[in-house]
Amino acid sequence: PGLADLCVIDVIGANGRIQRLAGALNGDPELLREFLARPPSPAGTTGSSAGPVPPVAVQHLKTIDDAFRRQAAHDEDGFQLLRRLAIESAAIVPLVGREQPIGVVILGTRAPRAQLTSHDVEYVKTLAGRIALALDNAALSEELSSTERQLAVILEAVDAAITVRDIYGRMVYANQV
């Protein structure tokens, strides 16, 4: 709330498409629910065979007008929703994890708040780095848990004695044969 009126985090899902992860809006909670229920905007994205992907460069939109809102909307209802949101300035910053795009964070302001400045955009870039790190760590943790479960199933199914020792020679695993 101290920086922007709208914050949205979109991520690339397992299917390669952009999915809305979270959002916050100063003001009407029903307007936020309506906005979050809609698919992420194609504006500021690039196309691929899997659909839109987040931008790879920071975009500082100092002024947002109806022409941009129309471009950002999927349809007339989306355009009207964007008009009701009344975002007048925005920063769109890629989320990058392990040198790969993983999503985008979007911050927007509306009157009477001032437009986002270049200093604000620099802050959003720092924030995006931390968001990306947290999201990437969560994905890595889930991947590790899944791999550990798969390994446990495989090792229990093997009809041979298997032991694993750490670098100090202590036994850390032995299956039951």
Side-chain angles (χ1 to χ4, degrees), residues 23-75:
L25 174 71
N26 285 338
D28 183 1
E30 184 54 40
L31 184 59
L32 176 63
R33 276 191 288 280
E34 189 177 342
F35 177 72
L36 294 178
R38 297 195 56 85
S41 169
T45 63
T46 57
S48 75
S49 60
V53 295
V56 293
V58 174
Q59 297 177 19
H60 182 189
L61 307 172
K62 294 179 182 177
T63 304
I64 295 177
D65 57 13
D66 278 350
F68 181 84
R69 289 183 187 99
R70 190 156 303 277
Q71 176 191 356
H74 291 278
D75 52 29

Side-chain angles (χ1 to χ4, degrees), residues 21 25 30-31 43 45 49 60 67 73-74 76 79 86 93 109 111 121 130-131 140 144 147 163 165 169-170:
L21 179 66
L25 174 71
E30 184 54 40
L31 184 59
T45 63
S49 60
H60 182 189
H74 291 278
E76 184 62 27
F79 170 68
V93 180
T109 62
V121 174
R130 292 180 183 195
I131 293 169
L140 286 171
L144 177 61
T147 301
T163 61
R165 296 183 183 276
R170 294 180 297 226

Side-chain angles (χ1 to χ4, degrees), residues 150-168:
Q150 292 171 0
L151 180 60
V153 169
I154 291 168
L155 291 176
E156 292 302 322
V158 172
D159 191 26
I162 297 175
T163 61
V164 178
R165 296 183 183 276
D166 67 14
I167 61 172
Y168 303 106

Side-chain angles (χ1 to χ4, degrees), residues 75-95:
D75 52 29
E76 184 62 27
D77 290 340
F79 170 68
Q80 293 303 325
L81 176 61
L82 292 176
R83 289 190 84 201
R84 288 183 14 235
L85 279 170
I87 299 301
E88 296 179 356
S89 173
I92 303 171
V93 180
L95 299 173

Side-chain angles (χ1 to χ4, degrees), residues 126-148:
T126 301
L127 178 65
R130 292 180 183 195
I131 293 169
L133 181 61
L135 291 173
D136 196 41
N137 283 344
L140 286 171
S141 179
E142 176 56 34
E143 188 177 319
L144 177 61
S145 294
S146 174
T147 301
E148 286 174 338

